[in-house]
Amino acid sequence: MIQFEHLHKSYGEGREAHEVLHDINLDIRKGEVFGILGSSGAGKSTLVRCINLLERPTKGKVVIDGKDVTDASGARLAELRSSIGMIFQNFSLFQQRTVLRNITFPLELNHVAKAERTARAEKLLDMVGLAGYGDRYPSQLSGGQQQRVAIARALANNPSIMLCDEATSALDSTTTVQILDLLRRINREMDVTMVVITHSLSVARSICDRVAMIDGGRIVEEGETEALFANPQSDILKALIASANAQNTRRADEADGTGRSDTKNSEVK
Amino acid sequence: MTAVIQEFINEYGELLLDGTWETLVMTIVSTLVAYVIGIPVGVLLTISGPGALRPNRVLHTVLGWIVNIGRSIPFIILLVAMIPLTRLLMGTSLGVAGAIPPLIVSAAPFVGRMVEQSLAEVDDGLIEAAQSFGASTWQVVTKVLLFESLPSLVRGAAITFINLFGYSAMAGTVGAGGLGDIAIRYGYQRYQYDVMVVSVVLCVILVQIFQSLGNVLARRIDHHSR
């Protein structure tokens, strides 16, 4: 569904050029939840932004649904972006718009009639569990609720692909689980292919069908989530898993000792 | 005491009322026109900047220079230097009509910077989000930049209005009419301090009213943190 072919991305030119993505080749299949795992600065955000061309590749191709979209511009670019929803770490909701008008924003861009926009938004609000919240403003909502609104907004145009950029990194662990459940449900029920950027092993483990580990702008390994984590090949993934395990053990000890666990910190990072 | 006040009102009431009216007309009209020019200038400055929506170094630099030059000319000089142009545009360089063009020319670059400042406060993440849904540059400007910064723009407009209010008093020195004109003619030239004091007090009251209006309006439309 989404293919990267020998994709490179550099910032700057000539001698000052700084390469952030190096020869990326990936094939993300229709209907799967694909994780892009890496630490900050690894290039995962840039890579995902090459899908909806918020970033333009320097070299190589981006193919979506069999069509080379690398050079899309104008109406074609707008159409491509309409078919790809996106959610962000800090939700990026419009503060001066109500919840309802945040969700109708993508429809407004496409000049959908008002009654139809509202009906669609109400339906989506219901789906993300926020029926009746339409008239509120984002600042009146909790982080988890704000991300739900952002998810509804991302779905407004009925996209076939959804990009999730560290969507749960600003949320506590309980809310993270709820949001991941919601994303999983959307993936299954609405047949939306998802690309999930995360630095968190537990996020990757809980919703991704397949994962690519990215480090220094290169894909160091990829595969089915379970198999990959059971038998990591790259040093970076081995280290990540080891540190997560160490943390888990430490937490388990602490929980045994005090008889309570701190939910806020129980997320494995 | 009442007799004194009554006499003062009889003598100067109409003069001061006319002055207030003239001041308001000068200030409101020039603020409005300054925004008609200043909003596009501020938008262009914002979107042509490095790494912005439509980077354009030449446009950004030239526009920046024009704005800076406009802002650096002292108003009193502009007032005199513009007399031929003002005559051409308004048919006179005197009175309220004569004061409006220089007020606009002095305020428009200032408004451009104020608008640029307000738009800069909009989170880049919101622009990116809008683009991710396929928004065109025009849609980002109108539906995100200007809309999200509306409370800040309103606060800026109150500041601009009060600046122009002060400048309109300065325009009084060349016979522009209004409260400033009255304060200068009666107080400075004829030593009628009572008239001067009352016109200054009227100025103070009007500034307070407009600042409060701006604050209340900005607070009412701002949903960012409540």
Side-chain angles (χ1 to χ4, degrees):
Chain A
M1 176 136 209
I2 306 167
Q3 280 118 14
F4 294 116
E5 294 175 10
H6 302 291
L7 192 96
H8 293 254
K9 171 75 186 178
S10 313
Y11 291 114
E13 273 170 28
R15 216 184 272 174
E16 286 175 14
H18 167 65
E19 196 175 52
V20 288
L21 292 175
H22 181 84
D23 196 26
I24 304 286
N25 292 284
L26 268 183
D27 186 356
I28 298 170
R29 295 169 201 151
K30 187 169 169 49
E32 74 177 339
V33 178
F34 192 90
I36 294 175
L37 183 65
S39 43
S40 35
K44 35 189 207 310
S45 284
T46 310
L47 180 60
V48 162
R49 279 165 176 71
C50 285
I51 299 174
N52 57 5
L53 301 171
L54 287 173
E55 295 281 357
R56 293 273 175 180
T58 318
K59 257 197 303 187
K61 276 201 282 190
V62 182
V63 179
I64 295 175
D65 265 339
K67 277 173 277 183
D68 181 353
V69 298
T70 323
D71 298 317
S73 63
R76 218 179 130 226
L77 179 62
E79 195 186 326
L80 171 80
R81 285 177 175 173
S82 287
S83 70
I84 303 175
M86 188 163 185
I87 59 174
F88 305 86
Q89 180 169 359
N90 297 315
F91 324 128
S92 292
L93 293 178
F94 303 113
Q95 299 295 316
Q96 307 298 347
R97 287 171 172 260
T98 59
V99 163
L100 191 89
R101 293 202 57 216
N102 263 282
I103 301 173
T104 57
F105 181 85
L107 301 168
E108 254 179 64
L109 298 180
N110 289 336
H111 310 290
V112 174
K114 194 175 178 191
E116 200 183 329
R117 293 202 302 255
T118 310
R120 173 95 184 124
E122 300 279 6
K123 221 170 109 188
L124 286 165
L125 265 179
D126 193 38
M127 203 210 77
V128 298
L130 288 177
Y133 280 69
D135 290 334
R136 304 213 190 171
Y137 284 88
S139 61
Q140 300 168 314
L141 304 182
S142 71
Q145 290 171 327
Q146 291 193 46
Q147 195 59 293
R148 285 167 190 272
V149 174
I151 290 169
R153 181 178 64 175
L155 293 172
N157 273 324
N158 251 327
S160 50
I161 297 170
M162 190 155 145
L163 312 177
C164 310
D165 185 1
E166 296 279 11
T168 55
S169 299
L171 303 173
D172 63 50
S173 57
T174 319
T175 315
T176 295
V177 170
Q178 292 166 349
I179 294 293
L180 294 179
D181 282 350
L182 177 62
L183 291 175
R184 196 58 173 159
R185 214 177 81 219
I186 290 163
N187 164 253
R188 293 211 179 108
E189 291 173 11
M190 301 174 75
D191 196 26
V192 176
T193 305
M194 296 218 174
V195 184
V196 174
I197 304 179
T198 185
H199 65 273
S200 155
L201 271 183
S202 71
V203 167
R205 197 171 262 148
S206 60
I207 65 163
C208 297
D209 299 307
R210 290 194 304 142
V211 169
M213 176 83 209
I214 181 167
D215 186 41
R218 290 159 200 261
I219 290 177
V220 289
E221 58 184 314
E222 60 169 298
E224 308 280 332
T225 310
E226 286 307 314
L228 191 73
F229 288 177
N231 187 19
Q233 298 300 310
S234 66
D235 292 341
I236 178 104
L237 186 55
K238 280 180 192 163
L240 203 63
I241 290 169
S243 87
N245 286 341
Q247 255 177 343
N248 271 350
T249 318
R250 203 162 57 235
R251 285 220 184 82
D253 291 347
E254 277 168 18
D256 284 347
T258 59
R260 67 185 169 89
S261 66
D262 183 1
T263 47
K264 192 144 194 187
N265 291 320
S266 63
E267 184 189 359
V268 180
K269 292 217 170 131
Chain B
M1 187 66 193
T2 14
V4 177
I5 294 174
Q6 193 58 50
E7 199 187 323
F8 183 86
I9 290 175
N10 285 342
E11 186 86 2
Y12 302 110
E14 204 182 332
L15 176 84
L16 288 166
L17 207 64
D18 284 350
T20 306
W21 171 247
E22 285 169 358
T23 294
L24 286 177
V25 169
M26 274 191 283
T27 314
I28 292 173
V29 170
S30 46
T31 303
L32 288 177
V33 180
Y35 266 87
V36 169
I37 303 167
I39 288 176
V41 169
V43 166
L44 285 176
L45 278 171
T46 303
I47 66 173
S48 65
L53 281 170
R54 285 287 179 89
N56 186 324
R57 215 158 133 188
V58 175
L59 178 70
H60 192 72
T61 311
V62 171
L63 207 54
W65 276 350
I66 294 172
V67 165
N68 289 346
I69 291 168
R71 291 195 59 199
S72 54
I73 300 171
F75 180 65
I76 199 84
I77 306 285
L78 191 71
L79 200 59
V80 177
M82 272 187 63
I83 286 174
L85 182 67
T86 305
R87 279 212 186 106
L88 196 73
L89 286 172
M90 312 294 285
T92 175
S93 64
L94 296 174
V96 172
I100 288 175
L103 283 173
I104 292 168
V105 170
S106 85
F110 176 75
V111 172
R113 285 291 182 216
M114 293 288 275
V115 171
E116 184 190 22
Q117 186 62 43
S118 293
L119 300 190
E121 289 163 19
V122 176
D123 183 1
D124 283 341
L126 297 185
I127 298 169
E128 189 184 43
Q131 287 179 313
S132 81
F133 299 119
S136 63
T137 303
W138 174 253
Q139 286 173 322
V140 171
V141 168
T142 54
K143 289 178 184 290
V144 182
L145 285 178
L146 290 173
F147 195 78
E148 288 293 310
S149 62
L150 214 50
S152 171
L153 289 172
V154 168
R155 287 189 194 99
I159 293 174
T160 306
F161 181 87
I162 288 162
N163 267 357
L164 281 176
F165 192 96
Y167 282 2
S168 79
M170 232 191 281
T173 52
V174 295
L179 289 172
D181 191 21
I182 293 169
I184 289 160
R185 272 194 289 135
Y186 285 78
Y188 194 66
Q189 292 166 355
R190 294 194 210 163
Y191 303 107
Q192 283 180 305
Y193 293 124
D194 50 350
V195 181
M196 185 183 76
V197 168
V198 173
S199 40
V200 170
V201 167
L202 281 173
C203 287
V204 171
I205 292 170
L206 287 174
V207 165
Q208 294 291 352
I209 289 173
F210 278 94
Q211 184 65 59
S212 305
L213 275 179
N215 289 347
V216 168
L217 185 61
R219 218 175 303 135
R220 283 195 73 161
I221 62 173
D222 193 354
H223 300 286
H224 186 61
S225 46
R226 276 209 287 202

